[in-house]
Amino acid sequence: MQSTFSLRSKLPSGISIFSVIGQLATEYQAINLWQGAPNFLPDQQLIDSATMAMKQGFNQYSPMMGVPALRQVLAEKTAKLYGARYDADKEVTVTAGGLEAVYAAITAPVHPGDEVIFFEPAFECYEPIVRLQGATPVAITISLDTLKIDWEEVAAAITPRTRMLIINTPHNPTGAILEKRDIDRLIAVTRNTNIVILSDEVYEHMVYDGMTHHSMSRYPELAERSVVVLSLGKTYHVTGWRVGYCVAPAEIMEEIRKVHQYLVFSAPAPMQVALAAAVENPESYLALAEFYQRKRDILLSYLAESPLDVKPCSSGFFMLARFSDFSNYSDRDFVFDLLRRMRVGTIPLSSFYGDGTDTGTIRISFCKDDDTLREGGRALSNWRQ
Ligand code: PMP
C-alpha cells in the first residue's frame, strides 16, 4: 500500500562528526582530546551539596526562571565582575545549560525572513537554530592567521533585515577573545540599529596570560541590546548537570522566558541549589583561569615537539593546530589517521563551518586531567606521516 506519510526535514541530514569521532574513539580506545567536557571529578563539596539538596526535597520543578538564591548570587557576581546591575527577578534566567539559553535567545526575537550574522568557524549550534526560525544565517569568516574579526565586513553585511549578531568570546573553537578595540567597533556598527546581540560567554573565566574578558554586560551601550549567555556546567566542571543562565534587559528577557517556559520550563532543581552555594565563593570561579592555563601549557609543551603549527590560544579550553604544511589529507582523514595510528581523538575544524570549509586544521581540547594531556600530547607529538 502506498503510504501518504512523509516528513520534510528542517535540518540537514547526517550524523554529526562528534558522534562519528565518539564511536571511532571508543573502537580504538583513543585518548579523548576531542570533547569539550572534563574527564575529572568536580569539587566533592559541590557533589555533596547536590546530594544534600535532593535529600532535603529539591526534586521537583524549580521556579520557571530559576531558584531565587541562584539568580540572586548570579546577579551579584555579574555586578562585581562587570559593574552591571541586572535585576535577579526580571533580568536573570537559569537555563538547562548555556545551549538552552542560546536556543531561547535566538528563538525569542528572530522571525522568519530575518538575518542573523555570526562568525565562522563557529560553535556548531548557531546556524541550525537560526534556520529553525525560518531566518537566514549570514556567516562571516574569521581569518585563522589573525583570529580577528573584520569589522568592515560586518558593517557591510548589516542590512535592514539584520535582527541579531552572535558574538562568542572567549571563542570556541579558536581560543581567541575580543579586545577593547573590537568592543568599540561593535558599539559603532550596532548604534542606531534594531540589532540584538547574543553574546555567548560560556568560557568567561578561562582567560589566560593576564588578558581581560570583555563581557557585553560591562558596556552599557551594548548591554542594553545584549543577551549574555553563561554556563555553570563549564565553570564548575559539571557539563552533565545542564545548568547555565543568561542575563538581559527586562524587555528582552520577558520574551526569552516565554520560549524557555515551553522548552524545558526549568533547569534541574538540586543542581541549582548546590550551585547557588558554590557561586557565593568567588574563588570557585576566579581560580579557573590559572587552573586551565596550566593545562593549556602542559599540552603546549608536548605540541612544541610536534610538526603541528599550533595557533596562539588565549582563552577557553580548545586550541587549533594546522597540519596542512606537511600532509595532503583532508582534515577529516587527518583526524581518522590520528585515531587509527596514534589513538588520539581530535575534531576536524571543517565541522565548524556551515559549508565544511577545510583549512587543514584540527581542534584539540585541553579540559582533561594531566595524565590524559601528557599521553595525548605525546601521541600528537609523535605523529609523522
Ligand atoms: N556555547 C559554546 C561556545 C560552547 O562551546 C558550548 C558547549 N560546548 C555551549 C555554548 C553550551 O554550553 P552548555 O554545556 O552549558 O550547554
Side-chain angles (χ1 to χ4, degrees):
M1 197 176 81
Q2 185 92 34
S3 170
T4 53
F5 179 80
S6 76
L7 268 184
R8 232 165 24 102
S9 175
K10 285 190 170 176
L11 293 174
S13 58
I15 65 166
S16 95
I17 186 70
F18 289 85
S19 312
V20 176
I21 304 287
Q23 278 165 17
L24 285 174
T26 310
E27 205 174 299
Y28 291 116
Q29 298 186 338
I31 304 153
N32 184 343
L33 296 187
W34 57 274
Q35 202 179 29
N39 67 341
F40 45 87
L41 284 175
D43 189 39
Q44 184 58 43
Q45 206 179 333
L46 189 61
I47 295 179
D48 291 345
S49 300
T51 311
M52 181 71 80
M54 288 180 206
K55 287 183 179 162
Q56 285 172 340
F58 291 96
N59 300 299
Q60 311 308 328
Y61 304 118
S62 85
M64 182 268 278
M65 63 279 265
V67 163
L70 179 57
R71 279 184 284 113
Q72 192 57 46
V73 287
L74 293 173
E76 284 162 16
K77 166 178 179 274
T78 316
K80 237 182 307 183
L81 289 179
Y82 308 121
R85 307 242 156 245
Y86 289 95
D87 181 324
D89 288 332
K90 296 199 178 93
E91 301 182 315
V92 180
T93 300
V94 182
T95 55
L99 181 56
E100 195 236 333
V102 168
Y103 196 100
I106 295 175
T107 302
V110 173
H111 292 254
D114 286 349
E115 292 172 3
V116 176
I117 296 176
F118 71 110
F119 300 93
E120 283 189 331
F123 176 45
E124 60 284 4
C125 77
Y126 304 140
E127 181 177 344
I129 299 175
V130 170
R131 285 198 192 285
L132 284 171
Q133 315 312 318
T136 307
V138 178
I140 293 182
T141 306
I142 306 173
S143 151
L144 293 185
D145 293 326
T146 61
L147 299 181
K148 298 269 176 254
I149 290 174
D150 179 342
W151 290 102
E152 297 303 319
E153 219 179 309
V154 179
I158 292 176
T159 75
R161 293 201 300 173
T162 307
R163 186 75 265 246
M164 178 173 270
L165 183 67
I166 303 179
I167 294 287
N168 173 209
T169 185
H171 191 255
N172 170 14
T174 65
I177 54 173
L178 292 197
E179 294 173 47
K180 179 62 172 60
R181 60 172 179 263
D182 295 301
I183 298 294
D184 294 339
R185 300 300 303 274
L186 181 57
I187 291 173
V189 296
T190 53
R191 188 175 287 142
N192 300 326
T193 70
N194 220 3
I195 295 174
V196 176
I197 297 172
L198 164 54
S199 188
D200 181 341
E201 303 179 13
V202 298
Y203 301 101
E204 67 176 326
H205 300 301
M206 301 157 204
V207 174
Y208 316 129
D209 307 322
M211 294 181 86
T212 303
H213 168 54
H214 293 279
S215 173
M216 299 307 119
S217 55
R218 195 190 281 270
Y219 302 95
E221 261 188 279
L222 294 176
E224 68 180 17
R225 60 169 76 244
S226 293
V227 184
V228 182
V229 169
L230 303 128
S231 169
L232 295 169
K234 300 278 183 199
T235 300
Y236 289 95
H237 319 304
V238 288
T239 56
W241 285 17
R242 308 311 295 134
V243 185
Y245 63 104
C246 57
V247 297
E251 190 190 354
I252 305 179
M253 189 57 88
E254 199 181 323
E255 297 305 313
I256 290 175
R257 285 181 177 177
K258 288 180 192 169
V259 178
H260 165 73
Q261 71 177 330
Y262 295 125
L263 197 53
V264 300
F265 185 75
S266 61
M271 280 63 183
Q272 291 188 63
V273 173
L275 286 162
V279 177
E280 271 183 29
N281 170 19
E283 192 51 28
S284 66
Y285 49 85
L286 294 178
L288 221 54
E290 196 184 323
F291 177 83
Y292 274 116
Q293 181 170 325
R294 193 183 140 275
K295 290 195 177 292
R296 177 199 65 174
D297 292 344
I298 292 176
L299 187 59
L300 278 179
S301 69
Y302 285 90
L303 294 183
E305 308 294 316
S306 87
L308 297 169
D309 172 18
V310 181
K311 302 281 167 201
C313 159
S314 45
S315 63
F317 45 51
F318 304 107
M319 61 176 78
L320 299 184
R322 204 159 59 100
F323 60 84
S324 49
D325 282 347
F326 49 86
S327 164
N328 292 326
Y329 279 146
S330 70
D331 63 357
R332 277 181 167 242
D333 285 343
F334 186 75
V335 163
F336 294 149
D337 189 52
L338 285 176
L339 272 168
R340 258 191 314 266
R341 292 200 297 127
M342 311 314 294
R343 306 215 181 280
V344 60
T346 58
I347 294 282
L349 193 64
S350 56
S351 42
F352 297 88
Y353 293 88
D355 65 0
T357 299
D358 183 351
T359 55
T361 306
I362 55 172
R363 188 194 77 170
I364 310 168
S365 166
F366 55 91
C367 58
K368 305 295 170 191
D369 63 37
D370 294 358
D371 286 344
T372 303
L373 292 174
R374 290 195 188 98
E375 262 184 80
R378 208 170 292 129
L380 286 171
S381 68
N382 286 335
W383 183 89
R384 297 292 181 274
Q385 199 164 20

